[in-house]
Amino acid sequence: MEKIKYLAFLFVVVSLSARADNSGQVIATQTCVACHGTSGEGNSITGFPELAGLPAAYLKTQMNGFLEGKRQFPPMLAILKTLKPEELEAVAAYYAGLPRTPSQAQKMSTTDKSLAQEIIFNGYWKKNVPSCIACHGSQTQGHGEFPPLAGQNSKYLQTQLQNFKMKKRDGGPDQVMSHIAQQLSAHQIRVISKYLSSLPSNGPFLASEQKKIAPTIADAQTGFFQPPLLKDLPSGENGDSIQRGYLIFSQTPRYAGDFVGGHISCVHCHINLGRQPYSA
């Protein structure tokens, strides 16, 4: 009996020591794995998001969002209310340090894939919707506090866009995500979510998945000039010149770094590559 008591005491001491040394992992193991998986991979069937590799600052903001009522999900709120601020920070740091899981292939028609690519990489400017890559990075793999979208499970992405649309979730600065989601149809939300989940969570995209030099479909607002579409651009020397101009405009530090300071590109001010009304 004494030996059992000793072993039980030793187990408690070891557990407490482990929590003191690696509290983020211990808390995650005790409270998060049932929904978010043993490696933070999420659950594509139930729609629980992948947490592995998300920025720590973003994770912390979202946890505080539940606590402040900006996001609604009672089970999450119940769990988070038991944690101290330093424990929330430790959990965020733990998940941020985990590797992303491989993305999942999605069956999509050519038409749906083209529609998703157009909105994600070029925006939906007919409804004044910027591209996803404007905030989430050129390959939607995250940028600063903006979370990765590539490789996140589609059910979660679709649910969150619907939540933004119905204002069940805070839309961020100037409620920009609420505005974006409200301009998208249910079908557009569905195909965007499916396509994003199929993109590589790490590593370079295929050339076919990259942003095109010009939109493939007309996107001008009613009453405004429609700039040339991809199919209208010339080939040969003129085409090469346009391509170089596009690169300078969209990636100025890389292609014309001697003429700018910092890391700003023309497109950061002249939205939609200057194609948007009044942006030139």
Side-chain angles (χ1 to χ4, degrees), residues 10-23 26:
L10 182 62
F11 174 78
V12 171
V13 171
V14 170
S15 297
L16 290 173
S17 297
R19 176 147 183 171
D21 293 340
N22 203 356
S23 60
V26 172

Side-chain angles (χ1 to χ4, degrees), residues 14 19 37 73 92 124 134-136 158 186 194 214 231 264 275:
V14 170
R19 176 147 183 171
F73 190 59
Y124 186 48
C135 294
H136 295 273
Q158 187 173 338
K194 288 184 69 173
K231 65 181 179 61
I264 195 168
R275 299 170 56 92

Side-chain angles (χ1 to χ4, degrees), residues 28-110:
T29 302
Q30 292 173 344
T31 62
C32 307
V33 296
C35 296
H36 297 285
T38 56
S39 302
E41 71 276 14
N43 189 317
S44 59
I45 297 174
T46 58
F48 290 118
E50 176 186 5
L51 301 182
L54 297 185
Y58 171 78
L59 289 169
K60 188 176 177 182
T61 297
Q62 299 314 305
M63 288 190 285
N64 285 327
F66 285 109
L67 291 170
E68 296 166 3
K70 295 179 180 179
R71 295 192 64 175
Q72 305 291 329
F73 190 59
M76 273 295 295
L77 178 60
I79 291 171
L80 293 173
K81 286 174 72 174
T82 68
L83 302 178
K84 301 174 184 177
E86 59 268 26
E87 292 176 321
L88 295 177
E89 196 160 337
V91 170
Y94 167 68
Y95 278 116
L98 294 178
R100 296 291 311 279
T101 54
S103 56
Q104 301 174 354
Q106 298 282 344
K107 291 183 179 180
M108 298 184 70
S109 69
T110 302

